[in-house]
Amino acid sequence: MTVPVSPNVLRWVRESRALTVEQAASRLGWPADQLLSLEDAAQISVDDLERLASKYRVSPATLLMPAPLPADRYPPRPIQDFRLHDRVRQEPLSLKTTLYVENAFDLIDLLAEVNDADGDVATRPLLPSFALAESAEQAAASERARIGVDIDTQLGWQTDREAFLRWRELLETQHLIVHKLAMDDQHVRGFAIFEQGFGILAVNSKDDARPRIFTLLHEYAHLLLRQGGISDQNRQTPIERWCNKFAACFLMPEGVFLREYRRLFPRGGVGDYQVGRLAVRFKVSKAAAAIRMEEVGLADAGFYEQLKAEWILPPKRKGGPADVDQIDIELGRFGTAHIGAVLEALERGSIDRLEAQYALDVPPDHFEALGAAARERHRAYGPAR
Amino acid sequence: MVRLGNGPIYVFDASAWLDCDGRAGDNRIPTILDRLFAEGRICHPKEVVGELERPGAVSDWVKARRTALNFPRGLPSEYAQNVGLVQWRYPAMGKVLGIKRRADPFVVAVALTYNCDEQPWIVVAGETLNHRPRRKIAGACDELGILCITIDQFIEREMQ
């Protein structure tokens, strides 16, 4: 059985997924010639339609459209790509990460539409904004004071996981949506989107908790600049440098960092051991601690680069523990702000259960448990009232 | 022209099935569904089943009859064209570049393809025009001249 298709649509969908002919053909398991001839055909088999839909991760309905959507009816969602590893522009984003970004924009569209229709069901964050010309260090100090976490509280957090959850909750309490997603792209640490007054930031679940904490604050800095994008935290682009500096100053304020260094190492010393201890103390990656040592004058310029060459990074974990159930997985992925906003919209009748199912990725009979788990997470790790 | 049983044909969206599940105490629903099923007057496109992930009384009723309820069989050309047309006209409803396969454009396309004066095809959806019509089945049906009703309206019609 065959169905009519528009060649322009098949090409448009492939390009929307940022796939070249070769990449798409490889995903499909077809020779490139076969895909090209299919993209020129007016009829394709139902089997091919299903295969294309499955590999491009779209509905078959999209492939059956009579024409591509004009940009004004489905505006492209451009996201700046700040990745520049070792001064080399990176490959296009993986399909998986592209879809995470697409989903984040979809969620913002949903919340904005709900607010337009029913008033302020979803709360928009009240974030200050900063310009690139402003001092990242001062911005970090003022944000730290505004959010209200004192340094003793931070240093008292027992584990890396606890520190991550505490920082995450602090941002989510400000109505920022924080996602933790498994991104496969080499060097992608996270992304940030600020659209229609809503802010979403995402960190890579494949990173360990301490680097993830730094990414969380780095992406937060992107939101403060109103310069969302994909980050690799390189030190070569001005925005990435500003965000790195903000995160470092936020997590390791200079005075406290120097005080802790002197307390831990009264006889001084600068090397891998000191970096490791400080990283554990402040719950940041060794890279972040080493760079901070340079910035505050404890180490010479080039210290981090020298150490980096010596470090053999541990293999990334492939996933979470096996006994984690679906509620925990979704709570980890979407966080309390996302879950709270969607369940609030459902409760107020602004969205139906099917829409909530799509937005939360769990069937409706899990909503109650997911909501309870989010509230419990907030009680356990959110700021004290 | 396709003709199932005599009388209007109801095309169910997943949101309508989920609405039924939320009314487990309403014993009119299984009675009506059993009758309409026996008369061949109730159907949904196969994509709807994919959206019924949760266990529930009506969802289980649907899943037990999934092959019998699925309509149309295969992907007839006119229906396929209408699926594409609905997706194109209502991109927010069908999530044009989203990951999940929303059944909405398939539901609307079934009614659009087979609705006729002799036998109306009516969409049943657990939603109304009140909220965000451009994103909703009810809004698309309204513009395309297809009757779209809620579960309450469905029960009222079939209890007469």
Side-chain angles (χ1 to χ4, degrees), chain A residues 290-331:
Chain A
I291 292 168
R292 194 65 179 140
M293 287 178 77
E294 280 185 36
E295 287 173 350
V296 300
L298 287 172
D300 294 334
F303 171 66
Y304 163 65
E305 291 297 333
Q306 189 189 335
L307 276 184
K308 192 173 80 168
E310 295 169 14
W311 289 337
I312 300 167
L313 296 174
K316 288 183 173 179
R317 286 179 299 162
K318 292 207 164 163
D323 60 346
V324 174
D325 69 12
Q326 197 184 357
I327 295 294
D328 285 333
I329 291 170
E330 301 310 331
L331 179 57

Side-chain angles (χ1 to χ4, degrees), chain A residues 1 17 50 57 62 64 67-69 73 103 110 113 118 349-355 357-358 361, chain B residues 18 22 51 55 75 81 83-84 87-89 91 96-102 127 131-132 135-136:
Chain A
M1 182 184 273
R17 292 302 196 217
E50 286 287 346
R57 305 285 304 275
T62 299
L64 291 167
L69 282 180
R73 293 185 54 225
N103 270 353
L110 176 71
E113 264 187 52
D118 295 335
S350 297
I351 61 173
D352 61 37
R353 296 200 295 168
L354 194 57
E355 285 181 299
Q357 174 174 302
Y358 275 114
D361 235 1
Chain B
L18 292 177
E51 293 190 323
L75 201 51
Q81 280 177 315
V83 168
Q87 181 80 329
W88 187 81
R89 283 188 64 169
V96 165
L97 291 174
I99 306 175
K100 301 279 177 66
R101 295 180 171 211
R102 307 266 337 208
E127 49 189 36
H131 291 288
R132 298 171 294 121
R135 198 186 259 267
K136 296 293 203 167

